[in-house]
Amino acid sequence: MIEVTLEQIKTWIPCEIENEYMDYGIKGVSIDSREINNQNLFIPFKGEHVDGHKYVAQALKDGAGAAFYQKGVPLDEAVSGPIIWVDDTLIALQQLAQAYLAYVNPQVVAVTGSNGKTTTKDMIESVLKPQFKVKKTQGNYNNEIGLPLTILELDIDTEISILEMGMSGFHEIELLSNLAQPDIAIITNIGESHMQDLGSREGIAKAKSEITIGLKKGGLFIYDGDEPLLEPHVNGLDNVDLVSIGKKPKNTLVSTIDIIADEGISFYINGDERYELPILGEHNMKNATIAIAVGKRLNLDYKTIFENLRLVTLTGMRMEQHHTRNNQLVINDAYNASPTSMKAAIDTLSGMQGRKILVLGDVLELGPDSQMMHESVGQYLADKGIEVLFTYGESSKYISETGKEFVEQASHFEDKDVLIDTLKSVLQPEDKILIKGSRGMKLEDVVNALI
């Protein structure tokens, strides 16, 4: 965030500030009093167990330029410095971000979906960055707090802001979309993540489709055209442009695989434009097609998009490749998982040469259908040519139980260290090992033990 005065803040959001502080400047925002940089605006939140207002005094002593303070919370006697009084600190943060976004005025690309949000975000950045000043959501800053903080980090000359939008329930993406007012809205796919909260894939499709609520008139909606659950939500859209992507011929951009190799893939768009992607997995063809659609919308030509896409690098733990001393390939896809993304990972491993080992952890937040969905992953192993299956956790035992008839060796573990020791004991030179599970399973521990 560029430096702005408190007088400017007062024109942007409903608040009260003493006149003597109007000329004071703030630069950047922090919600952690332990990480205050000089002139930061400190924003405390009043939670059920911790009230951030008790850290305001220390934040100001440590160099904060000012602090939000929620009306109704008694002012700590130790507080000395500029206070911005607001009705609700979270809402004020969101209002400030919305005003600052309008001030910087970049084109906004909003991305959601059950799987592939971060990968797609990385690919869009790769396609656009050589030609535009681009800033994207870092890490998982994709909720009602993280997205405003991402916006407030924009430089004044940012031309494209790529914002990832996550959710666990209804109306959460609606809030984020209304805040960001995207020029381009994207749904990568509809999977099973958050089934526990949303009840069904239909519910997930409805919640994800909230991303179009704030889409500007004349904006672009890019979506998975192979997903029938999105059709009811697309049909009701007016005054926006639509681009569907997928493998089916009915789509605006039809992607067809060309070559699958250990180092990446190549594919065609509408049968004539060929692209190369230095990332494993045929499923990433769809994510790349979305990035291509964004590039086309921003008037980049085929050659530019082709060359930029070839340079893409992904955020860590997403089909991340590591080669060991024994020429084994360890594929770290442990950032997160759903049944759909696990099946895509199985397809990726299946297409590789050499002995194939699959390590899978629990998929969390699946609700009452969890056992059935884990069993479906095990059943998907039929005819995939995978020799060894190791599973870890509680629910993943159902993957092992249903998958054991399709592999030469299957073992389930409830102790990660035992899994690691057993895995090391069976490894052979030139093995291909793919590791995937929900974030809470922390299967990167297995990756680190191997590399």
Side-chain angles (χ1 to χ4, degrees):
M1 185 179 186
I2 63 167
E3 183 172 351
V4 297
T5 64
L6 300 199
E7 185 174 16
Q8 180 69 69
I9 298 288
K10 199 170 190 308
T11 66
W12 281 347
I13 66 172
C15 64
E16 296 175 11
I17 308 169
E18 292 185 18
N19 288 333
E20 64 180 291
Y21 295 124
M22 287 298 189
D23 291 336
Y24 280 52
I26 59 111
K27 187 175 183 180
V29 172
S30 176
I31 60 173
D32 189 337
S33 62
R34 298 164 299 181
E35 298 179 0
I36 292 291
N37 292 318
N38 190 43
Q39 284 190 281
N40 274 177
L41 170 63
F42 176 59
I43 301 181
F45 298 116
K46 187 173 174 57
E48 291 183 13
H49 304 294
V50 178
D51 187 348
H53 290 82
K54 69 180 183 179
Y55 302 110
V56 169
Q58 189 61 49
L60 291 169
K61 288 179 183 177
D62 291 342
F68 277 172
Y69 217 95
Q70 190 159 303
K71 294 177 183 178
V73 177
L75 183 63
D76 186 341
E77 293 180 359
V79 170
S80 177
I83 294 297
I84 303 171
W85 290 94
V86 296
D87 290 330
D88 183 290
T89 54
L90 175 58
I91 293 174
L93 167 64
Q94 294 164 353
Q95 292 170 333
L96 180 61
Q98 190 169 38
Y100 185 69
L101 185 64
Y103 182 70
V104 177
N105 196 30
Q107 292 204 60
V108 175
V109 180
V111 183
T112 194
S114 296
N115 311 115
K117 293 186 294 293
T118 301
T119 297
T120 301
K121 178 184 67 179
D122 292 342
M123 290 180 179
I124 295 170
E125 180 192 41
S126 180
V127 166
L128 302 182
K129 198 168 185 178
Q131 277 69 41
F132 299 96
K133 176 71 178 289
V134 179
K135 199 143 190 175
K136 67 179 179 181
T137 301
Q138 297 297 317
N140 60 351
Y141 269 41
N142 60 10
N143 62 10
E144 75 279 7
I145 295 175
L147 185 135
L149 292 176
T150 296
I151 290 171
L152 291 169
E153 289 181 355
L154 295 177
D155 299 317
I156 192 63
D157 59 346
T158 302
E159 296 173 285
I160 310 286
S161 175
I162 307 171
L163 299 176
E164 181 179 328
M165 295 184 178
M167 61 92 200
S168 58
F170 292 114
H171 305 299
E172 294 177 10
I173 287 182
E174 177 182 2
L175 183 151
L176 301 179
S177 181
N178 278 327
L179 192 161
Q181 298 283 300
D183 299 273
I184 301 173
I186 295 162
I187 297 179
T188 60
N189 60 14
I190 302 300
E192 305 86 1
S193 301
H194 308 299
M195 189 82 81
Q196 180 175 304
D197 301 300
L198 296 169
S200 65
R201 292 186 70 248
E202 288 83 358
I204 295 168
K206 181 180 178 181
K208 295 294 184 185
S209 295
E210 292 172 7
I211 198 169
T212 62
I213 292 175
L215 181 61
K216 291 175 182 171
K217 288 185 178 180
L220 174 65
F221 180 40
I222 304 171
Y223 64 99
D224 182 356
D226 293 344
E227 177 51 77
L229 292 178
L230 288 174
E231 290 179 7
H233 305 286
V234 173
N235 293 337
L237 292 176
D238 296 317
N239 301 316
V240 298
D241 298 324
L242 303 174
V243 169
S244 61
I245 63 96
K247 297 180 181 180
K248 295 180 180 179
K250 66 173 184 175
N251 287 301
T252 313
L253 297 180
V254 181
S255 46
T256 309
I257 202 70
D258 176 32
I259 297 171
I260 300 175
D262 284 358
E263 64 275 5
I265 63 173
S266 61
F267 60 96
Y268 285 95
I269 297 292
N270 292 347
D272 55 1
E273 292 185 356
R274 182 180 177 276
Y275 294 90
E276 296 176 358
L277 191 65
I279 297 169
L280 296 174
E282 182 178 346
H283 61 284
N284 277 315
M285 175 174 67
K286 274 191 173 182
N287 299 330
T289 303
I290 291 171
I292 291 165
V294 174
K296 288 175 178 286
R297 176 70 169 191
L298 297 176
N299 299 314
L300 298 183
D301 59 31
Y302 164 71
K303 183 179 179 182
T304 299
I305 297 173
F306 178 90
E307 293 297 337
N308 292 353
L309 193 61
R310 290 178 67 188
L311 301 175
V312 66
T313 57
L314 297 185
T315 302
M317 295 197 288
R318 292 165 175 85
M319 285 294 168
E320 189 176 82
Q321 300 181 54
H322 302 275
H323 294 273
T324 71
R325 295 174 183 174
N326 291 326
N327 204 29
Q328 297 147 346
L329 175 62
V330 179
I331 303 167
N332 181 358
D333 200 31
Y335 184 79
N336 217 334
S338 69
T340 298
S341 65
M342 277 190 172
K343 292 170 185 177
I346 289 169
D347 286 336
T348 299
L349 185 61
S350 177
M352 293 184 166
Q353 300 297 316
R355 195 172 74 131
K356 294 171 275 290
I357 298 174
L358 185 63
V359 180
L360 299 177
D362 291 354
V363 180
L364 305 176
E365 298 182 14
L366 291 180
D369 293 329
S370 177
Q371 178 177 337
M372 179 191 69
M373 291 185 184
H374 281 88
E375 288 173 345
S376 75
V377 174
Q379 292 159 357
Y380 194 76
L381 289 165
D383 302 319
K384 296 298 181 180
I386 290 169
E387 286 82 5
V388 180
L389 169 66
F390 284 179
T391 55
Y392 164 71
E394 184 177 342
S395 299
S396 62
K397 66 184 177 185
Y398 300 116
I399 300 176
S400 184
E401 288 174 1
T402 56
K404 61 186 178 183
E405 64 178 294
F406 307 120
V407 299
E408 295 175 7
Q409 177 182 352
S411 300
H412 179 71
F413 301 85
E414 294 184 1
D415 186 307
K416 196 183 298 180
D417 291 332
V418 176
L419 183 155
I420 290 169
D421 290 340
T422 307
L423 179 57
K424 286 181 175 180
S425 71
V426 304
L427 287 181
Q428 300 174 9
E430 301 188 5
D431 281 349
K432 307 295 191 298
I433 309 106
L434 191 149
I435 299 163
K436 187 170 184 65
S438 280
R439 183 83 295 274
M441 305 309 293
K442 298 184 178 179
L443 285 184
E444 64 271 20
D445 295 339
V446 181
V447 176
N448 295 332
L450 298 182
I451 65 174

